[in-house]
Amino acid sequence: MSNTPMAANPLTRAVLEIDEYASGLGWDQPARLFALVDTARLRVQEPALAAQLGLGEESETVGLTPIEQDEIPSGKPLDEFLGTIAWPDAVAGCALTVERLMLPPSAETQVPQNLSEAKLARWVAEHPERQEVRMTVAVLRDGSREAALRLREKDSPTEVLTGPELVPGLAEALSATFAD
């Protein structure tokens, strides 16, 4: 089982488990998409899969199991890709882990105006205060959301920041994958 610290909320536990998994793969990884399924339901409806995932007859009855999906196509913008997803009813939620460059709020006033996306990305990549961050964002069908942020320069499980409003735009994009 995971070394993920126990969190009170099953969604937070799932986000931290995915963050731990992504951390084990190292940095400079492609984005990864996960379906979140109810662990108890998975044990009952798909016992062979549950056994394959190491979900024996544990006493825990509440929880979410992340199941990694096929690789996200490279060359397609993430928002366009997310717009093509439709989840079956058995999926309670989904999560995405992605690496990005981030600037501190103080850099907002320095951003040159009227840059193309490519030039803006290059400007951020060359900025002396940039930080590499791995974001893991998860949402449930009921609208619940959670995120975990890990800075490359503070790559430690004790330095992971969590909260439901850390990456609102990505959470909204993931929630849209459940819209009818």
Side-chain angles (χ1 to χ4, degrees):
M1 199 65 187
S2 149
N3 292 323
T4 302
M6 285 302 285
N9 178 325
L11 187 56
T12 303
R13 282 197 304 271
V15 164
L16 289 171
E17 185 177 329
I18 293 167
D19 172 76
E20 179 187 359
Y21 168 75
S23 176
L25 298 172
W27 287 87
D28 304 318
Q29 296 292 315
R32 296 178 187 282
L33 181 67
F34 298 82
L36 299 176
V37 296
D38 178 272
T39 303
R41 184 175 173 186
L42 178 64
R43 281 191 199 113
V44 170
Q45 294 180 349
E46 298 286 343
L49 178 58
Q52 183 181 357
L53 294 172
L55 303 173
E57 295 301 319
E58 299 166 8
S59 60
E60 184 179 340
T61 58
V62 177
L64 296 165
T65 298
I67 300 175
E68 188 171 3
Q69 302 301 292
D70 291 336
E71 191 170 307
I72 295 174
S74 61
K76 187 169 193 171
L78 192 55
D79 57 339
E80 285 181 26
F81 171 72
L82 292 175
T84 67
I85 296 174
W87 297 102
D89 291 340
V91 174
C94 66
L96 181 80
T97 184
V98 63
E99 296 175 14
R100 291 290 185 257
L101 291 177
M102 178 177 84
L103 293 176
S106 61
E108 284 183 31
T109 59
Q110 303 168 12
V111 178
Q113 299 298 309
N114 303 318
L115 290 180
S116 68
E117 253 185 75
K119 287 183 179 178
L120 179 59
R122 188 170 37 253
W123 182 84
V124 170
E126 294 171 354
H127 195 282
E129 295 179 80
R130 74 186 177 283
Q131 298 225 5
E132 290 179 75
V133 63
R134 181 183 302 116
M135 302 175 284
T136 302
V137 179
V139 299
L140 297 179
R141 285 184 185 273
D142 68 7
S144 302
R145 53 176 67 177
E146 186 64 67
L149 296 179
R150 182 187 290 247
L151 295 175
R152 189 171 191 156
E153 72 175 25
K154 295 183 178 184
D155 193 1
S156 163
T158 61
E159 296 288 336
V160 176
L161 181 63
T162 60
E165 298 299 327
L166 293 176
V167 192
L170 187 51
E172 289 168 20
L174 289 172
S175 291
T177 66
F178 292 102
D180 292 334

